[in-house]
Structures are given as C-alpha cells and as structure tokens.
Amino acid sequence: MRRLMKELTELQTSPPEGIRVSTQEDNMLDVTGIIEGPEGTPYAGGYFNVKFKFTEEFPAAPPKCWFATKIFHPNVGPTGEICVNTLKKDWKSQYGISHILVTVKCLLIYPNPESALDEEAGKLLLENYDDYCARAKLITSVHATPRVRPAEFATPPSTESAPPEPKHTPTKPLVVAVAVPTTNTLFVASASASSIKPLSSGPLQASPSNTIITPAPSATNEKTAGKERYSSPSPLGPAHSNVTAPVGITTGTKAVKRTAAGGNAGADKRKKALKRL
C-alpha cells in the first residue's frame, strides 16, 4: 500500500509523456490509467482508459490490467484483456504502474500480430495495413475520442516550485589607490566590491619590475672600481715643478737661462785665447 501511494504521487507530479492516472477518493486502490493515442498511429486523438486491479501478491505478481475503452487492436481481446509479456512471464517485482502504462502505449505504436488476441485485427494488419488503419481510426473516433479533453490532460502536472533566483544588483565600481614604495607613485584601480580580496598582513615586498639587481663586479670592474676609490692628488703646481725631464733636457725658464749663461762663458774664453796670441 505504501509503495502504491508513493508511485501514484510520483505519477501525478511528474508523469510520462501522454500518460496520466486517476483514483477514486473512497478507494485509492481503484486506479485508472489514461493513455493518449500516439501521433502517427490510427489511435491518435483518442484517450484510452486502462483499469488496474491489485492483488495481495503484488508486487511479487503483476496486477490485472485491461482496456476499459473499446479499441481495435490485435493484442487486445474482445473484453479488453491485454496480451503483453510484461504482464506475464517478463514481470519483475521492481515494475510498477508507470512501467505497465508505458509498455501498453508502445504496444499501440508497434502491434504484434503474431500473438493476437483479436484474430480479425491481426489478420487485417498482416494482409492489408490500410484497411486495418481505417478500421482502427473508426473505432477510435467512436469510442475513444471525447468532445472535451480529459481533465487530467487539461492542466500540466504539478511540479515542485523552484526557489526564486536571487536578483542581481549591480555594484558601483570601487576606486582603490595603491602606493608603491619604490617609486612613490599612486596607481588607481577600479573594481567591484565583490572582486576585492583581503591583503596579507605581512610587510610589502617590491615587485620584480621595481627591484634593482646589482651584478657581481668582474675583474675589470674591480680595477676600475679600485681606481675610482683613490683620493684625488693635491692641486697641480707649475709645469716645471711637476715634470721630470730626461737627462740633458732642460725645460721651462731655467733651461733658457742656463743656455744664455753657457753662451756668454764660451765667448769670454775665446776672447782670452785671442789676447794670448
């Protein structure tokens, strides 16, 4: 009983396509399945009632099912009994009302004349399909086509209401000023409040683009660096005091004076020699 109640609730909330169920208020076990005639078949436009009778052996044994609506079909007998393996040797305890109704609907699309309960319908299906369709359409229009669509199909099945989607409220852009210690430059960035993440509490570190990398000094650089570290000499004096001339070379004013003095001494010596002669 609990299993049937659960399945009936599922069929009323989310039934298969073209299938509905109805029950009696005073007897929940009085179940009627309603199958909409599939499109492209001679049963299109009709609504067929299938009655269920559950025994104490259910679900170990299948329930009894039959068409309450007259139909011209090879696998449906004169009193509405249905010939389908699901209700016989292929029955499994996990099957239920939904599985039976879906199987019967497939039988309307693909009739099986080899296991016919209605010999006339089975023979006509094998010999002349057009005549079979014409006869099936006639029976459907007379016995299975209501003037008003059944109430179970008039409204869509009830479904659980989905929670409303949260409204998206656009956030104003937030302007953030960031000071970079290495260049003392303010960069202004615009971002939404939802995209801002808290900064770490540790000290700021220089980014790779703001880091100055000092290369290791080479041998040549060491020499140059050494020379650059020497203190500059005292201010230069006059040229003659700071330049050491080679031997025999005189420079500056003293050299001129020495040359003049040497020339006068030679002239005196020559004069003395002439007097002696």
Side-chain angles (χ1 to χ4, degrees):
M1 186 69 178
R2 288 192 298 268
R3 172 178 171 174
L4 285 176
M5 295 299 296
K6 179 180 179 181
E7 186 175 6
L8 288 173
T9 303
E10 292 176 354
L11 283 172
Q12 291 174 352
T13 55
S14 57
E17 183 180 358
I19 293 175
R20 299 290 189 273
V21 292
S22 64
T23 57
Q24 298 296 327
E25 294 182 359
D26 56 346
N27 184 8
M28 295 298 295
L29 294 179
D30 188 1
V31 179
T32 301
I34 306 174
I35 301 176
E36 184 178 10
E39 293 294 333
T41 67
Y43 311 104
Y47 295 88
F48 303 89
N49 294 337
V50 178
K51 297 290 292 183
F52 287 83
K53 183 178 180 180
F54 301 93
T55 63
E56 296 179 356
E57 298 178 354
F58 180 84
K64 294 182 179 181
C65 301
W66 67 94
F67 269 91
T69 304
K70 187 173 179 61
I71 184 174
F72 184 73
H73 193 283
N75 305 116
V76 180
T79 57
E81 62 271 21
I82 304 170
C83 180
V84 62
N85 290 333
T86 301
L87 295 174
K88 296 180 181 179
K89 61 180 181 179
D90 292 341
W91 173 258
K92 295 181 180 180
S93 59
Q94 59 264 32
Y95 292 162
I97 302 173
S98 176
H99 182 81
I100 295 173
L101 292 175
V102 171
T103 302
V104 174
K105 182 181 178 181
C106 292
L107 199 63
L108 299 181
I109 302 174
Y110 304 104
N112 184 12
E114 295 180 358
S115 58
L117 292 178
D118 188 334
E119 295 181 0
E120 182 184 1
K123 183 178 180 181
L124 195 59
L125 176 61
L126 293 174
E127 295 178 355
N128 194 329
Y129 181 76
D130 293 337
D131 290 347
Y132 163 78
C133 288
R135 179 75 177 274
K137 286 181 180 180
L138 178 62
I139 299 298
T140 298
S141 64
V142 173
H143 298 279
T145 304
R147 294 182 179 181
V148 181
R149 194 179 190 190
E152 290 80 5
F153 289 89
T155 56
S158 59
T159 55
E160 297 181 359
S161 58
E165 296 183 359
K167 296 183 179 180
H168 175 69
T169 304
T171 57
K172 295 182 180 181
L174 180 65
V175 178
V176 181
V178 181
V180 181
T182 57
T183 58
N184 294 329
T185 304
L186 289 178
F187 294 92
V188 179
S190 177
S192 61
S194 61
S195 63
I196 298 177
K197 298 181 179 180
L199 298 176
S200 60
S201 59
L204 294 175
Q205 297 182 358
S207 61
S209 58
N210 296 326
T211 304
I212 300 176
I213 301 174
T214 305
S218 60
T220 306
N221 293 336
E222 289 181 356
K223 293 180 179 181
T224 306
K227 291 181 180 180
E228 290 178 356
R229 287 196 295 268
Y230 293 150
S231 61
S232 61
S234 59
L236 294 176
H240 62 271
S241 64
N242 294 320
V243 179
T244 303
V247 178
I249 300 176
T250 59
T251 60
T253 306
K254 289 184 178 183
V256 175
K257 290 181 179 181
R258 289 174 185 175
T259 304
N264 293 333
D268 292 340
K269 287 182 180 182
R270 286 194 295 273
K271 288 179 180 181
K272 288 179 180 181
L274 290 174
K275 287 181 180 183
R276 290 177 183 174
L277 293 175

